[in-house]
Amino acid sequence: MTALTFTLKSPLQQRLDVSPLVPDLLLGKSQKEVAALTLQYGNRRIAAGELFAVEGDDAESVRISGSPKLDFAGRAMTRGSLIIEGDAGAYLGMHMKGGRLCVSGSAGLYAACELKGGIVEISGNAGDLLGGALPGNKKGMSEGVVIVRGDAGDRVGDHMRRGSILIEGNAGTYLGARMTAGTIAVQGRIGACAGYAMKRGTLLLYGSPAAIGATFNDCGLHTLGFLPLLLKGYQGLNTCFSDPQARRARVRRLAGDLSVQGKGEILLVA
């Protein structure tokens, strides 16, 4: 069996909702039935076969041609593998519960928002509100792992409740704002206001932050016993955070955000 592949026939002119193209909804369908699925394309619905050349028969492994206008890829998927070959648009992996979602390019706003499980890998950059909550909601990502090999935008992990976000590049402002649990690790630089109003959770920072708020209490240098165990959990994920050398890190611990009686922490790797 070969992967079920959707190849764009021409560049997209409108935003396209590809949320129906996930293993859960494609299993058991013939190639003809898959091509007849209707997708929201701008303000009209159109058959998938009119936009994509459909090949292959393994619905557990789906591949889609990338485009910055490709929205909702992997929405609510629970199983299998979905690969976007190129860039993806907004809401990548929204409400995803399982499986593996990989993007070889960059992703737009709200990637992995309200993620509930599974693994999301983005080889390029991610937009604002990665792993955050949708507007009006107070529950962001609650499980799963997100890996970004490039940079991430502002408000990563806003209202995050659990899970891990691993950023190998830089991150923007308000990293981990209002988070209640979970771990965000950043290899590069970060913007201002990290940990704003965070109540619990861990920000693990390898680069120098622009500034740390006055509502974080400096607790000094530590060799934390839980840190090697946390990083060991990322083994097999092909990320720099799983490097055995990283587990020997000594950190400066900042507790906060005290303005909301928070019990979170920012760990600055020494």
Side-chain angles (χ1 to χ4, degrees), residues 105-254:
S106 297
L109 293 167
Y110 286 104
C113 65
E114 301 185 5
L115 186 80
K116 294 176 169 56
I119 298 173
V120 177
E121 290 183 58
I122 301 170
S123 295
N125 302 324
D128 295 344
L129 290 154
L130 172 74
L134 290 168
N137 292 350
K138 292 187 176 180
K139 294 182 179 179
M141 172 178 166
S142 59
E143 197 58 83
V145 178
V146 179
I147 301 170
V148 178
R149 307 207 186 281
D151 301 333
D154 297 336
R155 291 193 174 276
V156 171
D158 188 49
H159 280 304
M160 181 176 172
R161 300 179 74 82
R162 205 176 298 139
S164 298
I165 299 177
L166 310 176
I167 301 168
E168 298 184 357
N170 305 317
T173 58
Y174 289 94
L175 178 78
R178 303 183 292 185
M179 68 188 287
T180 55
T183 301
I184 303 176
V186 182
Q187 191 72 32
R189 300 183 306 276
I190 64 165
C193 302
Y196 170 81
M198 72 185 290
K199 294 179 180 175
R200 289 187 179 84
T202 300
L203 302 183
L204 179 61
L205 308 180
Y206 288 77
S208 300
I212 297 294
T215 50
F216 279 83
N217 189 28
D218 191 342
C219 303
L221 282 171
H222 296 269
T223 301
L224 299 176
F226 87 94
L227 199 54
L229 297 175
L230 174 73
L231 297 174
K232 191 176 181 180
Y234 302 138
Q235 273 186 331
L237 291 178
N238 187 26
T239 168
C240 61
F241 296 102
S242 62
D243 184 349
Q245 199 68 26
R247 296 178 212 156
R248 303 189 184 99
R250 191 166 165 79
V251 296
R252 178 182 166 206
R253 182 173 184 269
L254 304 165

Side-chain angles (χ1 to χ4, degrees), residues 26 39 75 116 124 174 211:
L26 296 172
L39 306 175
R75 180 179 180 177
K116 294 176 169 56
Y174 289 94

